[in-house]
């Protein structure tokens, strides 16, 4: 298949659904790790179609959602300084901090700039030598190479007014935390195709061997998702647990070697707090010691003490698949995309936003 409409073809989807229903002898619980996949599953009503044979639970793979409050508060502190411009992707702006959002700070100070690439932030630093430019480096393995490149570029240009607020996260350690929870009830995982395109999927083999859970690499279109679910169900029915690649048009076992070596040159794994999961061992990235001068936390000598989540937002339970967004008392009442209480209602990859946008629109009884 080459064209997008082929990956959305209703007849192909119907055939895959029939095969999944025929293969499943019981209801299996499968977690899609990536928020982009959550949106695809909800948008096309796949979660409803699979009722009775597959229960889909939504994982923590939304980078905006898992960025801890203390990082957002630090970004806000920087944006409130007269000598600093905070550069960020647009979807971080509306995420509530503990007192305000970057959007509110932008309105008050004008010190927040939306950029479409970390290299745009480097250009901003070149053009604005009287300000410190801090790029809010958020995201999984998909965005880490671009921020690594930005640091290299700033170094080549000799820029002394550019740094990163690093909040990069790694998928596999979070999956290990979830799989290691005896009460999780997860029978298999759908892994994110774009993350595996960068990072490869050979690293999942040890995971499947240890936890005896299948991992299926898949994409974001309905045919991708249904093909991945079918592979997962067939493995479960055969009592197998292997890594399967259903995204071969992009993902390779060894990943993108150039991107991986760029990441490795600039970053090293570290323990990192995730919203909803707490500190995930080796769940993040930090700049290597030789690149530490580009670290905003070091440059501004700012501690980031943990900040408690607001009690009424149950994003931690949403992000670990323990509840679905409509189970939160605030869903679509006190919490909406226009007035969000938590990050999963803001982000384009957030599970709460997906339920609000798609499940409410189709009058899904679970959202009433
Ligand atoms: S619906 Fe809103 S308040 Fe509830 S978990 Fe989601 S983001 Fe938090």
């Amino acid at each position: 298949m080459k064209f997008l409409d082929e990956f959305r073809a209703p007849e192909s989807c119907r055939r895959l659904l029939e095969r999944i229903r025929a293969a499943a002898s019981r209801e299996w619980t499968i977690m899609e790790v990536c928020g982009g996949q959550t949106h695809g599953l909800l948008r096309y009503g796949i979660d409803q179609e699979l009722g009775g044979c597959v229960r889909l639970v939504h994982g923590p793979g939304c980078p905006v959602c898992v960025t801890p409050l203390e990082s957002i508060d630090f970004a806000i502190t920087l944006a409130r300084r007269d000598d600093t411009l905070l550069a960020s992707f647009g979807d971080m702006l509306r995420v509530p901090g503990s007192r305000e959002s970057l959007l509110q700070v932008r309105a008050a100070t004008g010190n927040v700039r939306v950029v479409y690439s970390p290299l745009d932030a480097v250009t901003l630093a070149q053009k604005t030598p009287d300000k410190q430019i801090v790029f809010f480096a958020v995201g999984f393995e998909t965005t880490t190479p671009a921020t690594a490149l930005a640091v290299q570029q700033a170094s080549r240009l000799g820029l002394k007014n550019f740094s990163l607020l690093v909040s990069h996260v790694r998928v596999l350690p979070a999956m290990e935390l979830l799989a290691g929870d005896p009460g999780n009830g997860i029978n298999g995982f759908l892994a994110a195709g774009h993350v595996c395109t960068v990072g490869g999927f050979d690293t999942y083999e040890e995971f499947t061997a240890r936890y005896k859970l299948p991992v299926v690499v898949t994409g974001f279109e309905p045919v991708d998702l249904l093909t991945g679910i079918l592979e997962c169900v067939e493995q479960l029915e055969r009592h197998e647990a292997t890594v399967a690649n259903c995204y071969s048009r992009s993902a390779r076992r060894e990943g993108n070697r150039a991107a991986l070596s760029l990441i490795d040159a600039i970053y090293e794994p570290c323990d990192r707090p995730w919203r909803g999961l707490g500190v995930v061992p080796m769940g993040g990235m930090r700049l290597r010691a030789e690149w530490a001068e580009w670290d905003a936390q070091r440059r501004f000598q700012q501690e980031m003490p943990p900040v408690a989540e607001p009690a009424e937002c149950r994003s931690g339970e949403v992000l670990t698949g323990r509840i679905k967004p409509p189970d939160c008392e605030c869903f679509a009442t006190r919490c909406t995309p226009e007035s969000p209480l938590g990050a999963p209602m803001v982000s384009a990859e957030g599970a709460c936003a997906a339920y609000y946008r798609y499940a409410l629109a189709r009058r899904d009884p679970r959202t009433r």
Side-chain angles (χ1 to χ4, degrees):
M1 293 197 292
K2 285 200 312 203
F3 301 108
L4 189 55
D5 54 359
E6 295 174 274
F7 290 95
R8 296 178 179 175
E11 192 46 44
S12 304
C13 294
R14 263 191 291 276
R15 277 200 297 272
L16 285 162
L17 280 167
E18 280 163 20
R19 289 179 64 190
I20 294 167
R21 290 186 193 117
S25 62
R26 48 158 280 193
E27 187 177 65
W28 298 103
T29 298
I30 297 175
M31 173 177 273
E32 86 280 1
V33 177
C34 171
Q37 293 173 331
T38 306
H39 275 249
L41 292 163
L42 269 286
R43 177 178 178 187
Y44 295 102
I46 292 171
D47 57 324
Q48 277 192 319
E49 292 292 332
L50 291 173
C53 52
V54 174
R55 188 174 77 91
L56 290 162
V57 292
H58 316 307
C62 159
V64 171
C65 304
V66 300
T67 301
L69 262 181
E70 51 265 33
S71 293
I72 296 164
D73 283 354
F74 181 32
I76 288 169
T77 303
L78 293 174
R80 284 213 163 267
R81 292 172 61 110
D82 291 336
D83 61 348
T84 304
L85 294 179
L86 193 282
S88 171
F89 295 132
D91 50 0
M92 285 307 298
L93 265 60
R94 294 179 59 245
V95 179
S98 57
R99 288 180 301 280
E100 57 189 345
S101 68
L102 281 167
L103 194 66
Q104 290 166 310
V105 178
R106 183 171 75 164
T109 67
N111 289 344
V112 179
R113 300 292 161 86
V114 173
V115 292
Y116 296 97
S117 150
L119 291 175
D120 291 346
V122 175
T123 305
L124 182 64
Q126 280 182 285
K127 289 181 176 167
T128 327
D130 57 325
K131 296 270 190 186
Q132 284 290 324
I133 308 302
V134 182
F135 179 71
F136 200 173
V138 168
F140 288 95
E141 289 87 338
T142 41
T143 49
T144 316
T147 62
L149 197 62
V151 170
Q152 274 192 343
Q153 180 73 351
S155 170
R156 276 192 207 109
L157 294 168
L159 294 176
K160 299 293 180 201
N161 65 330
F162 178 82
S163 58
L164 295 182
L165 168 51
V166 179
S167 200
H168 282 308
V169 280
R170 302 169 67 227
V171 173
L172 189 53
M175 286 171 61
E176 287 183 357
L177 205 72
L178 292 169
D181 174 357
N184 70 60
I186 299 167
N187 302 121
F189 285 93
L190 300 183
H194 56 351
V195 171
C196 295
T197 298
V198 175
F201 49 86
D202 48 356
T203 49
Y204 290 106
E205 277 158 12
E206 199 191 320
F207 173 89
T208 53
R210 191 175 333 141
Y211 295 103
K212 309 282 182 269
L213 297 170
V215 174
V216 181
V217 181
T218 188
F220 306 88
E221 297 300 330
V223 169
D224 289 324
L225 292 162
L226 288 165
T227 304
I229 292 166
L230 175 63
E231 167 65 28
C232 200
V233 168
E234 287 181 340
Q235 281 199 33
L236 289 165
E237 292 288 339
R238 294 194 300 266
H239 306 286
E240 288 177 4
T242 64
V243 182
N245 182 15
C246 293
Y247 198 57
S248 57
R249 68 182 182 277
S250 178
R252 303 275 175 278
R253 191 174 184 284
E254 69 282 6
N256 181 325
R257 291 213 170 107
L260 287 172
S261 79
L262 181 59
I263 294 173
D264 189 50
I266 305 294
Y267 290 107
E268 61 186 359
C270 66
D271 298 347
R272 185 166 289 285
W274 287 44
R275 183 178 282 205
L277 276 78
V279 174
V280 177
M282 295 292 119
M285 287 292 200
R286 68 177 170 214
L287 290 163
R288 289 187 179 277
E290 55 269 42
W291 297 96
E293 68 174 290
W294 310 100
D295 184 345
Q297 209 182 335
R298 183 176 136 142
R299 184 167 297 182
F300 293 91
Q301 299 192 333
Q302 176 94 22
E303 294 292 316
M304 279 198 278
V307 180
E309 298 288 334
E312 59 187 344
C313 175
R314 298 177 69 185
S315 57
E317 292 165 272
V318 170
L319 289 165
T320 48
R322 293 198 294 275
I323 65 166
K324 296 206 173 184
D327 300 327
C328 171
E329 295 73 19
C330 299
F331 175 80
T333 54
R334 296 226 324 104
C335 183
T336 65
E338 290 72 36
S339 180
L341 290 178
M345 187 56 95
V346 177
S347 169
E349 294 184 84
C352 300
Y355 272 79
Y356 190 92
R357 184 165 180 192
Y358 302 116
L360 269 186
R362 70 188 183 212
R363 302 196 178 278
D364 187 333
R366 292 167 300 170
T367 62
R368 285 191 200 134

